[in-house]
Amino acid sequence: MIYETIPIEVFVVLKYNSPEVQKLVENWRIEPETIMKNVIDHFRELGIFGVPMSQQTMMLDAMRTYLRTSPEIIRMVVKSEQEEAIRARTKHAD
């Protein structure tokens, strides 16, 4: 177990693979690296570069909230769903 501050990059990668986050992102057709980079950039813009052990639960909640509410991520998800629907329609049209 880690008892010190971990870099935000490490935190996001570790928590992205947790069941709580995977439940949110499992049906998204977006590369995980793209989503993780977006989350890391968001936290860096807020001035968060590391996560102390005592704040990991709060930061996981903040990460999940951001994944659900980020306009940029929502746009990426909608766009990928639209592209998937177009591919499905054109496949059936052939």
Side-chain angles (χ1 to χ4, degrees):
M1 187 161 260
I2 301 171
Y3 291 103
E4 57 189 51
T5 299
I6 59 172
I8 192 66
E9 300 85 1
V10 174
F11 175 81
V12 170
V13 170
L14 288 174
K15 296 305 180 183
Y16 186 85
N17 294 314
S18 70
E20 301 98 335
V21 174
Q22 283 300 304
K23 197 179 296 184
L24 288 171
V25 302
E26 65 188 353
N27 294 321
W28 293 357
R29 301 287 184 234
I30 304 169
E31 290 295 321
E33 293 79 20
T34 304
I35 297 170
M36 286 186 277
K37 182 183 180 320
N38 187 288
V39 174
I40 291 166
D41 290 346
H42 168 72
F43 284 130
R44 284 182 178 160
E45 287 173 9
L46 294 175
I48 300 169
F49 299 96
V51 181
M53 179 67 178
S54 63
Q55 295 180 353
Q56 287 192 14
T57 302
M58 179 189 68
M59 287 299 296
L60 177 59
D61 289 343
M63 181 175 160
R64 290 171 52 212
T65 299
Y66 180 72
L67 287 168
R68 283 194 308 270
T69 62
S70 165
E72 187 175 341
I73 291 177
I74 292 169
R75 275 192 297 274
M76 287 191 291
V77 170
V78 169
K79 182 179 177 187
S80 71
E81 288 173 351
Q82 289 171 342
E83 290 170 353
E84 185 84 19
I86 290 169
R87 278 193 295 274
R89 274 187 262 142
T90 56
K91 181 180 175 185
H92 291 297
D94 291 341

